[in-house]
Amino acid sequence: MFAKLKQMLTVDDRRIAPRVEPVGDCFVELDGHRFALKNWSLTGLFFGPCDLVVPKQKIYLRLCVKDEAVDIDFPVEAVVARVQPDGMVGAFFYSMNPGLKKQIIKYFTHQRELVGDEN
């Protein structure tokens, strides 16, 4: 069991949830600054470029995703996992409002239906 866990943690891409590129009016807001939401998942998000954060920092964001399926506009707590040299930020959700979690699940269920993914 520990060998399997070690193997999972040593691969370059350790994402546990598939990412989706948002469509529509989608952004994150941090300290009054808007940044493009490049992709996101049930567990985290990728946005930027942003020079306001460092890895392991807890951040408080406003997440806005608006398209034909959802209208999400909620505060979110996240932890910065990485900041790339080009300023793109990968973060995972730290604490989430239950209402937001339901909206995100609805969004991803809709996205799977669009691509015909039955899983």
Side-chain angles (χ1 to χ4, degrees):
M1 179 170 110
F2 291 111
K4 180 68 173 170
L5 180 60
K6 182 178 179 182
Q7 178 187 7
M8 289 171 40
L9 294 175
T10 58
V11 295
D12 288 335
D13 191 355
R14 290 177 273 179
R15 293 184 192 136
I16 60 173
R19 300 263 169 167
V20 172
E21 290 185 28
V23 179
D25 186 20
C26 306
F27 62 90
V28 297
E29 188 174 271
L30 173 67
D31 294 335
H33 301 278
R34 283 189 180 190
F35 301 97
L37 177 62
K38 297 297 183 181
N39 64 52
W40 66 310
S41 72
L42 290 170
T43 60
L45 60 159
F46 187 62
F47 68 93
C50 172
D51 62 357
L52 303 175
V53 299
V54 296
K56 299 184 182 178
Q57 178 181 355
K58 185 188 276 188
I59 55 177
Y60 302 90
L61 303 167
R62 175 179 164 214
L63 174 63
C64 296
V65 177
K66 297 180 185 195
D67 65 17
E68 74 282 350
V70 297
D71 185 354
I72 294 173
D73 190 342
F74 285 99
V76 174
E77 288 181 66
V79 175
V80 176
R82 71 181 185 285
V83 179
Q84 297 182 171
D86 63 358
M88 297 305 292
V89 176
F92 59 90
F93 297 126
Y94 178 75
S95 177
M96 189 179 302
N97 173 308
L100 174 60
K101 189 171 186 172
K102 287 179 184 177
Q103 287 283 3
I104 291 174
I105 290 169
K106 177 182 174 183
Y107 178 88
F108 281 95
T109 299
H110 175 74
Q111 291 299 318
R112 283 196 314 266
E113 289 170 358
L114 287 177
V115 297
D117 182 3
E118 300 296 325
N119 297 325

